[in-house]
Amino acid sequence: MDGNGRWAKKRLLPRAMGHKKGVEAVRNLVRSLRGTGIEALTLYAFSTENWGRPADEIADLTALMKHFIRSDLDEIAEAGVRLNIIGDHSAFDEEAVALIEGAIARTADNREVVLTIALNYGSQAEIVRAARAAAAEGEVTEEAIARHLDTADLPPLDLLIRTSGELRLSNFLLWQAAYAELYFTDVLWPDFKPEHLRQAIEHFSGRERRYGGR
Ligand code: FPP
């Protein structure tokens, strides 16, 4: 969800305002999923590298996450959304951990769509953990690694969108992206609307996926 900082800077606002607008974009996008047939949406909210940001920005992001759960959980739960986390959310403060775990438990039986938030997530570390777990069980195969990834219970990744003109994957779902379509847009995350997701999906639908075959 790149571009919150630049969105705020362009308007001479504090970065925190960009993140706040970013949460509004999340809310609108999740609301728009109903009836689209999208089974899963995974959002990169906080990378393992994000701990390197100033303490006040980390505090702002943590506060926004807590606020999001408090304000939106009823709506999410009633809309049939299952909330899922990848990464190690135990690194956040006790209150955040309790809210996250409460939200996971409350929505566990929902089947409409899975909303996964990547928190304290880094793909290379995830692959190492999965490979170690596979080795502890026996032969290290692609299937065994995939079974131990944080995303093991999610459908295969079809489309990966990066906002704000960045042309990198930045340690997000590297294994899972092996056959995903990649979509890069200059739109800053706070400006990313359901309409932009629709455009990305249209683009995706127009591409022929060959999985290495011909
Ligand atoms: C990247 O923009 C954005 C982040 C590091 C944080 C994203 C988190 C949220 C929107 C809030 C929490 C999420 C949920 C699901 C409630 P940036 O700061 O790197 O902006 P820049 O690329 O313009 O500098």
Side-chain angles (χ1 to χ4, degrees), residues 108-128:
D109 295 329
N110 283 353
R111 290 290 174 268
E112 193 70 33
V113 62
V114 192
L115 172 64
T116 300
I117 315 279
L119 284 180
N120 188 23
Y121 173 85
S123 186
Q124 291 181 336
E126 177 199 27
I127 294 168
V128 170

Side-chain angles (χ1 to χ4, degrees), residues 32-191:
S32 78
L33 295 181
R34 256 221 147 135
T36 59
I38 293 172
E39 289 172 63
L41 175 71
T42 301
L43 300 170
Y44 204 0
F46 198 95
S47 70
T48 44
E49 290 74 29
N50 284 153
W51 293 112
R53 295 205 175 193
D56 61 340
E57 186 172 358
I58 295 173
D60 286 339
L61 285 169
T62 310
L64 278 171
M65 280 188 267
K66 292 190 219 176
H67 181 72
F68 176 74
I69 296 177
R70 288 200 172 100
S71 59
D72 287 50
L73 183 59
D74 282 349
E75 181 180 333
I76 285 178
E78 279 154 31
V81 177
R82 175 165 79 85
L83 189 80
N84 178 46
I85 302 291
I86 56 172
D88 180 13
H89 67 277
S90 70
F92 290 90
D93 68 51
E94 230 175 273
E95 193 182 27
V97 171
L99 279 165
I100 290 166
E101 290 179 357
I104 293 171
R106 179 164 165 203
T107 60
D109 295 329
N110 283 353
R111 290 290 174 268
E112 193 70 33
V113 62
V114 192
L115 172 64
T116 300
I117 315 279
L119 284 180
N120 188 23
Y121 173 85
S123 186
Q124 291 181 336
E126 177 199 27
I127 294 168
V128 170
R129 277 198 309 276
R132 285 197 180 124
E137 256 180 27
E139 207 187 339
V140 179
T141 61
E142 290 174 21
E143 292 71 27
I145 291 178
R147 252 199 334 268
H148 289 285
L149 292 171
D150 295 1
T151 52
D153 61 346
L154 293 179
L157 179 64
D158 286 323
L159 173 63
L160 192 148
I161 301 173
R162 177 127 200 199
T163 55
S164 88
E166 305 289 355
L167 301 177
R168 297 183 297 275
L169 294 185
S170 297
N171 209 10
F172 186 54
L173 302 179
L174 301 180
W175 178 283
Q176 297 85 343
Y179 290 104
E181 297 293 336
L182 308 181
Y183 184 85
F184 299 94
T185 171
D186 288 337
V187 176
L188 303 177
W189 177 256
D191 293 325

Side-chain angles (χ1 to χ4, degrees), residues 1-6 15 19 23 45 53 61 65 68 117:
M1 295 188 280
D2 250 317
N4 295 348
R6 274 163 288 167
R15 285 182 74 80
H19 292 315
V23 176
R53 295 205 175 193
L61 285 169
M65 280 188 267
F68 176 74
I117 315 279

